Amino acid sequence: MIEVSNIIKRYGNFTAVNNLSFTVKPGEVLGLVGPNGAGKTTTLRCLAGIIPTSSGLVTITGIDLSKDPVAAKKQLAFFPDEPRLFDYLTVRQHMTFTARIYGVSDAQPKIDSLLQELEIFEKANRLPSELSRGMKQKLVIACGLLHSPKVMFFDEPLTGLDPLGIRKMKDSIVSRAKAGASIVLSSHLLHLLEEVCTNVLILKKGEKIADGTLQEVSARYSAGEDNVSLEDIFIRATGGTES
Amino acid sequence: MVQKVKMTRAFIYLRLTSFINYILSTVKRLKEPKFILGTAAAFLYLYYVVFRTMGGEVVNSKHLPVSYQNSLTIETYTRDQFLGVGACILFLLTIVRVGWLLVSPPKQVGLKFSDAEIAFLFPAPLTRKKLIHFNLLSAQITVLISSVILTLVFGRGNVGFVLNIYRTLGWWVILSAMNLFSIGSGLFVTRTLERVSKPLVAKIVTGLLLIVLVKFAFSSFLNAPLLESVASGSITSILAHANAFIKVGTFRWLFLPFSILVTPYFSTHWNTFIFGIAQALVVLAILYCWILNMEVSFEDASLARAENRAAIRAAVAAGKPPINASTPNKVFKDPFRLSSYGSPEIAFLWKNLISIQSWFNLRLILLMFGPALASGFYAIHESGKELDGAKLILIISSVVAMVTLLVGPQFLRQDLRSDIVYMDMLKTYPLKGWQIVLGEIITPVFVMTSCLLLSLGLCVFSSTKHPQSVYSAFSVILTGILVIPPVCTLQLIIPNAAALIFPTLAMSANNRRGGIEVVGQRLIFILGQIFAIICALIPALILGLLVYISAHWWAGLFFMDQLAKCIGAFAGAGTAMLLMVGEIALGLWWLGYRFEKFDISKDLPQGSL
């Protein structure tokens, strides 16, 4: 469960995220969309505790992120758009390191199981430089899932993936949500929202301009028309301009 | 001809606008105090080191003490006397270059183009000749800047404006010729080896011809008059011999281009300079035309070079070793078995000990231990048979300890300084800020401490000969064990604090970006680091000494002097250690707080993550 209440993120006089509130229940997938510079990545970083909010409240499974960040972070996983890996650690060494950082009990069987599930078991002794982008992405996901997070944040999860990788990533997100995780993802790819997300939140200039289920948001911007695509809805909602 | 003019204009436009924009962006940055301070510090340093002596008074031996004046044998030379030696040096460099090309010819010769130049120029409707022309013109900027720098560095003293112009242009001629020859010879060798049916035979024949030529040239140079001059120690005679050798010797034809190229640099009068530079320009023009008319495929290799440079730049920017992109990374073994239970800080030690293995290459070993080995060899040379093994160990381990203490924190950067680019990832870890900071600095502390304790142990072992000095040895070892770890930690806390407070500076140090203000900031940082470490150590030193004296006196009332010294050392070192541990705890707490408040979107430069 993610509860966000009136969060604001300012940089000097510039407000990147303004008074944003929403809730993501277990099993829900919230798609965060908006034009370039709308504040999607800033919002995700605030929710993952990477950057502090200027004001407002974020709770992760009921734990206040600002008051007890360590406990809150144990419940979440953040997946950046670019796989960020240590150059000199092999796939297995990455998993071992992550297990120690998160204090994962009985880690080795879990590591093997995850590597097999994500089809990188055979690459366990390879360095990141020897992996394709898709493989790196899988390793990041394996590291993120090792501590069985209840909350997940994906920043542009499909960037740089091939069609098979995209399919597997989508399946992975849906299966984790079905298993009870609360998921927030940001993406420019509107078809991803249609296939994966249960809810959508449209941001523009750091402010929420629409949120709800896909049907609710569609109904709001379709103006009674039938067969209005999500692309049209997005353009109508954002006014067809960047921030 | 029209195309040539266009190309040159395009080049000038690109370089000029890039330069103007660079200056403008640098000036804009001066709004921030840290950049103003950095620039001021850099200019002060430049003034002190270079310009202060240029227009000011020349150091006059009359101002020196009389005893020192008497000990000096002052011999003055005119610049043109060095012409022969200069030409011989240039000749030797050329031979080395050709020899190296024969021994290790490049598979492909790639001209140096930047990523952007490749992206814009390679697909553009330009002939290969135009691309070479662009490349040679681009190299001229580096050559010109290098010429000015070399004039400033080697031209200190009140020599006057005109002579400095001669020197700058002289350096420009020499460096341009070296640059052109380097490019041209590379292209020529590649092309020739591609064309001949038996490249190995061609290399052997050329090599033999080269050896014969060099052998005869040097036999001619090393003749009886020269050996007499060397034996008499007359520098003037040796210089005169070199001048005569290149002007009237048997091999004067071979040395002609080299003497032409060094003439402008060694000119002292405008008439010799003008004549010299005119001749040098002809040689440069010949080299230029030689390269321009060589039809060699360089595009693939240039692309590979650019990609390699980009990979190295990215690696250095991320605080990693500048590994050649074409070399696959090596898998390093776990330093120890890391279980999933226990202190998370140990995970950082484990991770950084894996990455530190990649830094232990021959270069680092030579840098770290080269001075120690050199000191050892020097000591052997000076002492002859009097030097025993123990003294040698003492000398080498003392120098290793000094080098570790002084430059260790700069070399061992497997801490926040290199991991600052992973800040977003580090901040997702469920750990307190101080835990991450502690985890990050453990590795360099561990390596430095191990190195210092080993050196100390060897020093003590090699200097303890008598049974009565065992107490002293024990005191020293005990003091080392208590004091070295906190001293190393303090030494490493300071640069890590700087990385968190001035992350841009830490990143610029990683990616080796230049700029006058960055040079100044680094100077300020080095001075600040020295000041901070002194401030941190002085209280511990004073308190430790006071406790040592008191404990020694008190223990002397009950025990023999050697044992009292041991007790005093333990008490003094223990007190100093406790004080330093307190400072470290305070530093870690504050850095942890700073880490938690670190805002990657505000504190790090755009696009660094």
Side-chain angles (χ1 to χ4, degrees), chain A residues 9 11 45 50-51 70 73-74 84-90 93 96-97 100-106 127 129, chain B residues 320 323 329-332 334 339-341 343 347 350 354 358 421-422 424-425 427-430 599-602:
Chain A
K9 179 65 186 173
Y11 297 108
R45 283 176 169 179
I50 296 170
I51 53 174
V70 173
K73 284 176 182 178
K74 279 191 174 170
R84 302 183 60 69
L85 299 164
F86 297 109
D87 284 1
Y88 289 96
L89 297 193
T90 61
Q93 285 171 336
T96 309
F97 175 71
R100 177 69 170 241
I101 292 290
Y102 283 86
V104 178
S105 58
D106 202 16
L127 290 165
S129 57
Chain B
K320 294 158 202 155
I323 293 165
N329 287 348
K330 190 180 162 189
V331 174
F332 295 105
D334 298 6
S339 74
S340 55
Y341 302 101
S343 168
W350 180 83
I354 291 173
S358 66
V421 287
Y422 296 113
D424 54 345
M425 214 162 73
K427 287 196 69 110
T428 61
Y429 293 156
D599 191 337
I600 56 168
S601 44
K602 267 198 296 193

Short mmCIF file of all heavy atoms in Angstrom, two decimals, chain A residues 9 11 45 50-51 70 73-74 84-90 93 96-97 100-106 127 129, chain B residues 320 323 329-332 334 339-341 343 347 350 354 358 421-422 424-425 427-430 599-602:
data_model
loop_
_atom_site.label_atom_id
_atom_site.label_comp_id
_atom_site.label_asym_id
_atom_site.label_seq_id
_atom_site.Cartn_x
_atom_site.Cartn_y
_atom_site.Cartn_z
N LYS A 9 7.52 19.16 -4.06
CA LYS A 9 8.98 19.16 -4.21
C LYS A 9 9.38 20.45 -4.91
O LYS A 9 8.97 20.70 -6.05
CB LYS A 9 9.43 17.95 -5.03
CG LYS A 9 10.92 17.88 -5.26
CD LYS A 9 11.71 17.70 -3.99
CE LYS A 9 13.22 17.78 -4.23
NZ LYS A 9 13.97 17.77 -2.98
N TYR A 11 12.52 23.26 -6.01
CA TYR A 11 13.94 23.58 -6.22
C TYR A 11 14.03 25.09 -6.28
O TYR A 11 13.72 25.67 -7.32
CB TYR A 11 14.46 22.97 -7.53
CG TYR A 11 14.41 21.46 -7.55
CD1 TYR A 11 13.48 20.79 -8.34
CD2 TYR A 11 15.28 20.72 -6.76
CE1 TYR A 11 13.44 19.40 -8.35
CE2 TYR A 11 15.24 19.34 -6.77
CZ TYR A 11 14.32 18.68 -7.57
OH TYR A 11 14.27 17.31 -7.57
N ARG A 45 11.18 9.36 -7.51
CA ARG A 45 12.35 9.44 -6.63
C ARG A 45 11.94 9.86 -5.21
O ARG A 45 12.52 9.38 -4.23
CB ARG A 45 13.38 10.42 -7.19
CG ARG A 45 14.18 9.84 -8.35
CD ARG A 45 15.11 10.87 -8.95
NE ARG A 45 16.07 10.27 -9.87
CZ ARG A 45 16.98 10.95 -10.54
NH1 ARG A 45 17.06 12.27 -10.40
NH2 ARG A 45 17.81 10.35 -11.35
N ILE A 50 14.63 8.50 -2.49
CA ILE A 50 15.94 8.87 -3.05
C ILE A 50 16.18 10.35 -2.85
O ILE A 50 17.29 10.77 -2.54
CB ILE A 50 16.00 8.49 -4.55
CG1 ILE A 50 15.90 6.97 -4.69
CG2 ILE A 50 17.28 9.01 -5.20
CD1 ILE A 50 15.72 6.49 -6.11
N ILE A 51 15.14 11.14 -3.02
CA ILE A 51 15.25 12.58 -2.74
C ILE A 51 14.17 12.96 -1.72
O ILE A 51 13.08 12.36 -1.72
CB ILE A 51 15.15 13.45 -4.02
CG1 ILE A 51 13.89 13.13 -4.82
CG2 ILE A 51 16.37 13.29 -4.89
CD1 ILE A 51 13.65 14.05 -6.01
N VAL A 70 14.49 3.76 6.90
CA VAL A 70 15.11 2.43 6.79
C VAL A 70 14.05 1.35 6.73
O VAL A 70 14.07 0.47 5.84
CB VAL A 70 16.09 2.20 7.97
CG1 VAL A 70 16.61 0.77 7.97
CG2 VAL A 70 17.25 3.18 7.89
N LYS A 73 12.13 1.62 3.41
CA LYS A 73 12.90 1.17 2.23
C LYS A 73 13.02 -0.35 2.17
O LYS A 73 13.23 -0.91 1.10
CB LYS A 73 14.28 1.83 2.23
CG LYS A 73 14.24 3.29 1.80
CD LYS A 73 15.61 3.91 1.91
CE LYS A 73 15.57 5.38 1.54
NZ LYS A 73 16.88 6.02 1.69
N LYS A 74 12.92 -1.00 3.33
CA LYS A 74 12.97 -2.47 3.33
C LYS A 74 11.75 -3.05 2.62
O LYS A 74 11.77 -4.21 2.20
CB LYS A 74 13.05 -2.99 4.76
CG LYS A 74 14.46 -2.91 5.31
CD LYS A 74 14.62 -3.66 6.60
CE LYS A 74 16.10 -3.66 6.99
NZ LYS A 74 16.33 -4.15 8.32
N ARG A 84 21.58 0.31 -13.42
CA ARG A 84 22.80 0.85 -12.81
C ARG A 84 23.47 -0.28 -12.02
O ARG A 84 22.96 -0.70 -10.99
CB ARG A 84 22.45 2.03 -11.92
CG ARG A 84 21.74 3.13 -12.71
CD ARG A 84 21.44 4.33 -11.87
NE ARG A 84 22.62 4.94 -11.34
CZ ARG A 84 23.54 5.58 -12.04
NH1 ARG A 84 23.38 5.69 -13.34
NH2 ARG A 84 24.57 6.12 -11.47
N LEU A 85 24.61 -0.71 -12.55
CA LEU A 85 25.28 -1.88 -11.97
C LEU A 85 26.75 -1.56 -11.68
O LEU A 85 27.34 -0.72 -12.35
CB LEU A 85 25.19 -3.05 -12.95
CG LEU A 85 23.76 -3.52 -13.28
CD1 LEU A 85 23.77 -4.39 -14.52
CD2 LEU A 85 23.15 -4.26 -12.12
N PHE A 86 27.29 -2.27 -10.70
CA PHE A 86 28.72 -2.10 -10.39
C PHE A 86 29.54 -2.90 -11.40
O PHE A 86 29.30 -4.10 -11.58
CB PHE A 86 29.01 -2.60 -8.97
CG PHE A 86 28.30 -1.81 -7.90
CD1 PHE A 86 27.26 -2.37 -7.19
CD2 PHE A 86 28.66 -0.51 -7.62
CE1 PHE A 86 26.59 -1.65 -6.22
CE2 PHE A 86 28.01 0.23 -6.65
CZ PHE A 86 26.96 -0.35 -5.94
N ASP A 87 30.50 -2.23 -12.02
CA ASP A 87 31.23 -2.85 -13.12
C ASP A 87 31.98 -4.13 -12.76
O ASP A 87 32.15 -5.00 -13.61
CB ASP A 87 32.24 -1.85 -13.70
CG ASP A 87 31.55 -0.82 -14.55
OD1 ASP A 87 30.32 -0.90 -14.66
OD2 ASP A 87 32.24 0.04 -15.13
N TYR A 88 32.48 -4.19 -11.54
CA TYR A 88 33.36 -5.31 -11.19
C TYR A 88 32.67 -6.40 -10.40
O TYR A 88 33.34 -7.29 -9.88
CB TYR A 88 34.60 -4.79 -10.46
CG TYR A 88 35.48 -4.04 -11.41
CD1 TYR A 88 35.40 -2.66 -11.51
CD2 TYR A 88 36.31 -4.71 -12.27
CE1 TYR A 88 36.16 -1.98 -12.44
CE2 TYR A 88 37.07 -4.05 -13.20
CZ TYR A 88 36.99 -2.68 -13.27
OH TYR A 88 37.75 -2.01 -14.20
N LEU A 89 31.36 -6.32 -10.26
CA LEU A 89 30.65 -7.41 -9.60
C LEU A 89 29.95 -8.24 -10.66
O LEU A 89 29.33 -7.69 -11.58
CB LEU A 89 29.60 -6.86 -8.62
CG LEU A 89 30.07 -6.03 -7.42
CD1 LEU A 89 28.94 -5.86 -6.42
CD2 LEU A 89 31.27 -6.62 -6.73
N THR A 90 30.07 -9.55 -10.54
CA THR A 90 29.36 -10.43 -11.47
C THR A 90 27.87 -10.43 -11.11
O THR A 90 27.48 -9.86 -10.08
CB THR A 90 29.89 -11.87 -11.38
OG1 THR A 90 29.66 -12.33 -10.05
CG2 THR A 90 31.37 -11.95 -11.70
N GLN A 93 27.53 -11.94 -7.73
CA GLN A 93 28.08 -11.05 -6.70
C GLN A 93 27.14 -9.88 -6.42
O GLN A 93 27.02 -9.43 -5.28
CB GLN A 93 29.47 -10.56 -7.13
CG GLN A 93 30.55 -11.63 -6.98
CD GLN A 93 31.88 -11.23 -7.60
OE1 GLN A 93 31.93 -10.40 -8.50
NE2 GLN A 93 32.96 -11.82 -7.13
N THR A 96 24.53 -11.31 -4.13
CA THR A 96 25.07 -11.55 -2.78
C THR A 96 25.18 -10.24 -2.01
O THR A 96 24.82 -10.16 -0.83
CB THR A 96 26.48 -12.20 -2.91
OG1 THR A 96 26.37 -13.32 -3.78
CG2 THR A 96 27.02 -12.64 -1.57
N PHE A 97 25.66 -9.22 -2.70
CA PHE A 97 25.80 -7.89 -2.08
C PHE A 97 24.43 -7.36 -1.64
O PHE A 97 24.26 -6.90 -0.51
CB PHE A 97 26.46 -6.94 -3.09
CG PHE A 97 26.57 -5.52 -2.64
CD1 PHE A 97 27.45 -5.15 -1.63
CD2 PHE A 97 25.78 -4.52 -3.21
CE1 PHE A 97 27.56 -3.84 -1.21
CE2 PHE A 97 25.88 -3.21 -2.79
CZ PHE A 97 26.77 -2.86 -1.79
N ARG A 100 22.98 -9.05 1.45
CA ARG A 100 23.56 -8.59 2.72
C ARG A 100 23.00 -7.22 3.10
O ARG A 100 22.71 -6.95 4.27
CB ARG A 100 25.08 -8.54 2.59
CG ARG A 100 25.82 -8.00 3.80
CD ARG A 100 25.74 -8.96 4.97
NE ARG A 100 26.64 -8.56 6.03
CZ ARG A 100 27.65 -9.31 6.49
NH1 ARG A 100 27.88 -10.50 5.99
NH2 ARG A 100 28.43 -8.87 7.46
N ILE A 101 22.88 -6.32 2.10
CA ILE A 101 22.39 -4.97 2.38
C ILE A 101 20.96 -5.02 2.93
O ILE A 101 20.62 -4.30 3.86
CB ILE A 101 22.43 -4.12 1.08
CG1 ILE A 101 23.86 -3.85 0.63
CG2 ILE A 101 21.66 -2.80 1.24
CD1 ILE A 101 24.65 -2.92 1.51
N TYR A 102 20.14 -5.91 2.36
CA TYR A 102 18.74 -5.99 2.79
C TYR A 102 18.54 -7.04 3.90
O TYR A 102 17.43 -7.23 4.36
CB TYR A 102 17.83 -6.31 1.60
CG TYR A 102 17.59 -5.10 0.71
CD1 TYR A 102 18.45 -4.77 -0.30
CD2 TYR A 102 16.48 -4.27 0.92
CE1 TYR A 102 18.25 -3.66 -1.11
CE2 TYR A 102 16.26 -3.16 0.12
CZ TYR A 102 17.15 -2.86 -0.90
OH TYR A 102 16.94 -1.76 -1.68
N GLY A 103 19.63 -7.73 4.27
CA GLY A 103 19.52 -8.74 5.32
C GLY A 103 18.56 -9.85 4.95
O GLY A 103 17.71 -10.26 5.77
N VAL A 104 18.67 -10.35 3.73
CA VAL A 104 17.75 -11.41 3.27
C VAL A 104 18.14 -12.73 3.92
O VAL A 104 19.29 -13.16 3.82
CB VAL A 104 17.82 -11.55 1.73
CG1 VAL A 104 16.91 -12.66 1.24
CG2 VAL A 104 17.46 -10.23 1.08
N SER A 105 17.19 -13.37 4.56
CA SER A 105 17.50 -14.64 5.20
C SER A 105 17.48 -15.76 4.17
O SER A 105 16.69 -15.73 3.22
CB SER A 105 16.48 -14.93 6.31
OG SER A 105 15.19 -14.94 5.76
N ASP A 106 18.38 -16.71 4.36
CA ASP A 106 18.49 -17.87 3.48
C ASP A 106 18.55 -17.42 2.01
O ASP A 106 17.71 -17.81 1.17
CB ASP A 106 17.28 -18.78 3.72
CG ASP A 106 17.56 -20.21 3.27
OD1 ASP A 106 18.75 -20.52 3.06
OD2 ASP A 106 16.60 -20.98 3.12
N LEU A 127 30.23 -10.49 -15.93
CA LEU A 127 30.24 -9.09 -15.49
C LEU A 127 29.20 -8.30 -16.29
O LEU A 127 28.83 -8.72 -17.40
CB LEU A 127 31.62 -8.48 -15.72
CG LEU A 127 32.74 -8.99 -14.82
CD1 LEU A 127 34.08 -8.59 -15.38
CD2 LEU A 127 32.58 -8.44 -13.41
N SER A 129 29.53 -5.82 -18.14
CA SER A 129 30.01 -5.46 -19.48
C SER A 129 29.78 -6.57 -20.50
O SER A 129 29.80 -6.34 -21.70
CB SER A 129 31.50 -5.12 -19.43
OG SER A 129 32.21 -6.22 -18.91
N LYS B 320 35.97 4.93 -12.23
CA LYS B 320 36.52 3.59 -12.43
C LYS B 320 37.83 3.68 -13.21
O LYS B 320 38.10 4.69 -13.83
CB LYS B 320 35.52 2.75 -13.21
CG LYS B 320 34.26 2.50 -12.42
CD LYS B 320 33.12 2.16 -13.33
CE LYS B 320 31.82 2.43 -12.64
NZ LYS B 320 30.76 2.69 -13.57
N ILE B 323 39.81 1.69 -18.34
CA ILE B 323 40.12 0.44 -19.03
C ILE B 323 39.88 0.61 -20.52
O ILE B 323 38.90 1.24 -20.94
CB ILE B 323 39.22 -0.69 -18.49
CG1 ILE B 323 39.61 -0.97 -17.06
CG2 ILE B 323 39.36 -1.96 -19.32
CD1 ILE B 323 38.60 -1.77 -16.35
N ASN B 329 36.56 -6.94 -19.36
CA ASN B 329 36.83 -6.84 -17.93
C ASN B 329 37.09 -8.24 -17.36
O ASN B 329 36.56 -9.22 -17.83
CB ASN B 329 35.62 -6.23 -17.22
CG ASN B 329 35.52 -4.76 -17.51
OD1 ASN B 329 36.44 -4.17 -18.03
ND2 ASN B 329 34.39 -4.18 -17.19
N LYS B 330 37.90 -8.25 -16.33
CA LYS B 330 38.26 -9.53 -15.71
C LYS B 330 37.35 -9.76 -14.51
O LYS B 330 37.02 -8.80 -13.79
CB LYS B 330 39.72 -9.41 -15.26
CG LYS B 330 40.34 -10.69 -14.82
CD LYS B 330 41.79 -10.40 -14.41
CE LYS B 330 42.34 -11.52 -13.57
NZ LYS B 330 43.63 -11.19 -12.99
N VAL B 331 36.97 -11.01 -14.31
CA VAL B 331 36.16 -11.33 -13.13
C VAL B 331 37.11 -11.52 -11.95
O VAL B 331 38.06 -12.28 -12.04
CB VAL B 331 35.33 -12.60 -13.36
CG1 VAL B 331 34.60 -13.00 -12.09
CG2 VAL B 331 34.35 -12.39 -14.49
N PHE B 332 36.85 -10.81 -10.86
CA PHE B 332 37.69 -10.94 -9.67
C PHE B 332 36.97 -11.78 -8.62
O PHE B 332 35.75 -11.67 -8.47
CB PHE B 332 38.05 -9.56 -9.11
CG PHE B 332 38.89 -8.76 -10.05
CD1 PHE B 332 38.34 -7.70 -10.77
CD2 PHE B 332 40.22 -9.07 -10.24
CE1 PHE B 332 39.11 -6.97 -11.65
CE2 PHE B 332 41.00 -8.34 -11.13
CZ PHE B 332 40.44 -7.30 -11.83
N ASP B 334 35.78 -13.37 -4.99
CA ASP B 334 35.31 -12.79 -3.73
C ASP B 334 36.50 -12.72 -2.77
O ASP B 334 37.22 -13.72 -2.61
CB ASP B 334 34.24 -13.68 -3.10
CG ASP B 334 33.00 -13.79 -3.98
OD1 ASP B 334 33.04 -13.27 -5.11
OD2 ASP B 334 32.02 -14.39 -3.54
N SER B 339 28.19 -13.56 3.90
CA SER B 339 26.88 -14.17 4.20
C SER B 339 25.82 -13.08 4.15
O SER B 339 26.12 -11.89 4.13
CB SER B 339 26.92 -14.81 5.59
OG SER B 339 26.90 -13.79 6.57
N SER B 340 24.57 -13.49 4.12
CA SER B 340 23.50 -12.48 4.03
C SER B 340 23.12 -11.93 5.40
O SER B 340 22.26 -11.07 5.51
CB SER B 340 22.28 -13.07 3.33
OG SER B 340 21.88 -14.24 3.98
N TYR B 341 23.75 -12.44 6.46
CA TYR B 341 23.49 -11.91 7.80
C TYR B 341 24.66 -11.02 8.24
O TYR B 341 25.77 -11.20 7.78
CB TYR B 341 23.35 -13.05 8.82
CG TYR B 341 22.26 -14.03 8.50
CD1 TYR B 341 22.55 -15.25 7.93
CD2 TYR B 341 20.94 -13.72 8.77
CE1 TYR B 341 21.56 -16.16 7.62
CE2 TYR B 341 19.93 -14.61 8.47
CZ TYR B 341 20.24 -15.84 7.90
OH TYR B 341 19.25 -16.71 7.59
N SER B 343 26.53 -7.25 9.72
CA SER B 343 26.62 -5.81 9.48
C SER B 343 26.65 -5.49 7.97
O SER B 343 27.48 -6.03 7.24
CB SER B 343 27.90 -5.31 10.16
OG SER B 343 28.16 -4.02 9.73
N ALA B 347 29.38 -5.49 3.65
CA ALA B 347 29.05 -5.72 2.24
C ALA B 347 29.77 -4.72 1.34
O ALA B 347 30.22 -5.05 0.25
CB ALA B 347 27.54 -5.62 2.03
N TRP B 350 33.37 -5.72 1.11
CA TRP B 350 33.44 -6.88 0.18
C TRP B 350 33.36 -6.39 -1.27
O TRP B 350 34.18 -6.76 -2.10
CB TRP B 350 32.28 -7.80 0.53
CG TRP B 350 32.15 -9.05 -0.28
CD1 TRP B 350 32.81 -10.23 -0.08
CD2 TRP B 350 31.29 -9.26 -1.39
NE1 TRP B 350 32.41 -11.16 -1.00
CE2 TRP B 350 31.47 -10.59 -1.82
CE3 TRP B 350 30.37 -8.47 -2.08
CZ2 TRP B 350 30.78 -11.14 -2.90
CZ3 TRP B 350 29.68 -9.01 -3.14
CH2 TRP B 350 29.89 -10.32 -3.55
N ILE B 354 36.55 -6.15 -4.13
CA ILE B 354 36.51 -6.79 -5.46
C ILE B 354 36.95 -5.78 -6.52
O ILE B 354 37.80 -6.07 -7.35
CB ILE B 354 35.08 -7.31 -5.77
CG1 ILE B 354 34.74 -8.50 -4.87
CG2 ILE B 354 34.97 -7.73 -7.25
CD1 ILE B 354 33.32 -8.98 -4.97
N SER B 358 41.12 -4.43 -9.50
CA SER B 358 41.36 -3.98 -10.88
C SER B 358 42.37 -2.83 -10.93
O SER B 358 42.96 -2.55 -11.96
CB SER B 358 40.06 -3.53 -11.51
OG SER B 358 39.59 -2.39 -10.84
N VAL B 421 28.44 8.47 -8.26
CA VAL B 421 27.59 8.33 -9.46
C VAL B 421 26.48 7.29 -9.24
O VAL B 421 25.54 7.22 -10.03
CB VAL B 421 28.40 7.97 -10.71
CG1 VAL B 421 29.21 9.13 -11.20
CG2 VAL B 421 29.28 6.77 -10.47
N TYR B 422 26.61 6.49 -8.19
CA TYR B 422 25.55 5.51 -7.87
C TYR B 422 24.65 6.04 -6.75
O TYR B 422 23.98 5.26 -6.08
CB TYR B 422 26.17 4.19 -7.42
CG TYR B 422 26.99 3.50 -8.48
CD1 TYR B 422 28.37 3.36 -8.33
CD2 TYR B 422 26.41 2.97 -9.61
CE1 TYR B 422 29.13 2.73 -9.30
CE2 TYR B 422 27.16 2.33 -10.58
CZ TYR B 422 28.52 2.21 -10.42
OH TYR B 422 29.27 1.58 -11.37
N ASP B 424 21.85 7.53 -6.51
CA ASP B 424 20.43 7.20 -6.50
C ASP B 424 20.20 5.78 -6.00
O ASP B 424 19.24 5.51 -5.28
CB ASP B 424 19.80 7.41 -7.89
CG ASP B 424 20.52 6.67 -8.99
OD1 ASP B 424 21.65 6.21 -8.76
OD2 ASP B 424 19.94 6.53 -10.09
N MET B 425 21.12 4.90 -6.36
CA MET B 425 20.99 3.51 -5.93
C MET B 425 21.29 3.38 -4.43
O MET B 425 20.57 2.71 -3.70
CB MET B 425 21.99 2.67 -6.72
CG MET B 425 21.51 1.29 -7.03
SD MET B 425 22.50 0.63 -8.34
CE MET B 425 24.03 0.31 -7.54
N LYS B 427 20.91 5.50 -2.23
CA LYS B 427 19.86 6.10 -1.40
C LYS B 427 18.61 5.22 -1.27
O LYS B 427 17.76 5.48 -0.44
CB LYS B 427 19.50 7.48 -1.94
CG LYS B 427 20.61 8.49 -1.63
CD LYS B 427 20.17 9.90 -1.79
CE LYS B 427 19.19 10.32 -0.77
NZ LYS B 427 19.65 11.26 0.21
N THR B 428 18.52 4.19 -2.12
CA THR B 428 17.38 3.28 -1.97
C THR B 428 17.66 2.20 -0.92
O THR B 428 16.74 1.50 -0.51
CB THR B 428 17.03 2.56 -3.30
OG1 THR B 428 18.15 1.79 -3.71
CG2 THR B 428 16.64 3.53 -4.39
N TYR B 429 18.94 2.07 -0.50
CA TYR B 429 19.26 1.01 0.46
C TYR B 429 18.63 1.31 1.83
O TYR B 429 18.68 2.47 2.28
CB TYR B 429 20.78 0.86 0.63
CG TYR B 429 21.49 0.34 -0.60
CD1 TYR B 429 22.84 0.60 -0.81
CD2 TYR B 429 20.82 -0.41 -1.55
CE1 TYR B 429 23.50 0.13 -1.94
CE2 TYR B 429 21.48 -0.88 -2.68
CZ TYR B 429 22.81 -0.61 -2.87
OH TYR B 429 23.45 -1.07 -3.98
N PRO B 430 18.13 0.28 2.48
CA PRO B 430 17.51 0.52 3.80
C PRO B 430 18.56 0.64 4.90
O PRO B 430 18.61 -0.20 5.80
CB PRO B 430 16.63 -0.73 3.97
CG PRO B 430 17.32 -1.79 3.20
CD PRO B 430 18.03 -1.13 2.07
N ASP B 599 20.47 15.75 -1.98
CA ASP B 599 19.40 15.73 -2.99
C ASP B 599 20.05 15.59 -4.36
O ASP B 599 20.65 16.54 -4.88
CB ASP B 599 18.60 17.04 -2.90
CG ASP B 599 17.32 16.98 -3.73
OD1 ASP B 599 17.29 16.15 -4.68
OD2 ASP B 599 16.39 17.73 -3.43
N ILE B 600 19.96 14.40 -4.93
CA ILE B 600 20.69 14.15 -6.18
C ILE B 600 20.27 15.08 -7.31
O ILE B 600 21.06 15.41 -8.18
CB ILE B 600 20.58 12.68 -6.65
CG1 ILE B 600 19.13 12.26 -6.79
CG2 ILE B 600 21.31 11.76 -5.73
CD1 ILE B 600 18.98 10.95 -7.51
N SER B 601 19.02 15.52 -7.27
CA SER B 601 18.58 16.38 -8.38
C SER B 601 19.07 17.82 -8.21
O SER B 601 19.11 18.58 -9.16
CB SER B 601 17.05 16.36 -8.49
OG SER B 601 16.47 16.46 -7.23
N LYS B 602 19.46 18.18 -6.97
CA LYS B 602 19.98 19.54 -6.75
C LYS B 602 21.50 19.54 -6.68
O LYS B 602 22.17 20.43 -7.21
CB LYS B 602 19.43 20.09 -5.42
CG LYS B 602 18.16 20.89 -5.57
CD LYS B 602 17.89 21.75 -4.37
CE LYS B 602 17.63 20.98 -3.11
NZ LYS B 602 17.07 21.79 -2.03
#
